[in-house]
Amino acid sequence: MTKLGLVAFGNEGEPFDPNVHEAVSLIQSAGVTEPTCIQILQPGYKVGDRIVRPARVIVAEPDDAGPDIVGADQPDEAGLPTGPETGPQENREDED
């Protein structure tokens, strides 16, 4: 196949590019500064500039948790959560 120009690609540590990578999983990591491929699950293949199959990868994103986000879901004085998902909840019953 290499005689026909088929080339495998995808290396750990390279920046994530959605044009050539398929993200299978995403994790937060303080050890990266940009979305980075940390594990190659399946190499990608291309012929010339044409992608035959994208590389399937696990991606690490920078951990953006800062002091303003850390306490967002902590309970208030009444013991109720204070995060963005504390609005009224609907009661739904499945209809048969």
Side-chain angles (χ1 to χ4, degrees):
M1 291 295 222
T2 54
K3 290 180 182 179
L4 299 173
L6 186 69
V7 177
F9 67 89
N11 297 309
E12 292 180 9
E14 67 188 13
F16 174 73
D17 180 355
N19 296 312
V20 297
H21 298 115
E22 178 182 349
V24 175
S25 183
L26 178 69
I27 64 167
Q28 300 290 316
S29 175
V32 297
T33 57
E34 64 181 343
T36 304
C37 300
I38 60 166
Q39 186 176 359
I40 308 300
L41 302 175
Q42 286 183 327
Y45 292 98
K46 62 183 177 177
V47 175
D49 290 335
R50 183 175 177 181
I51 303 297
V52 177
R53 180 178 81 183
R56 300 187 72 186
V57 300
I58 296 177
V59 178
E61 276 192 330
D63 188 7
D64 292 335
D68 58 325
I69 296 174
V70 172
D73 289 325
Q74 298 299 319
D76 65 4
E77 294 171 5
L80 300 172
T82 59
E85 297 143 21
T86 59
Q89 296 181 358
E90 288 184 26
N91 240 350
R92 294 185 186 180
E93 293 183 14
D94 295 332
E95 295 181 22
D96 293 341

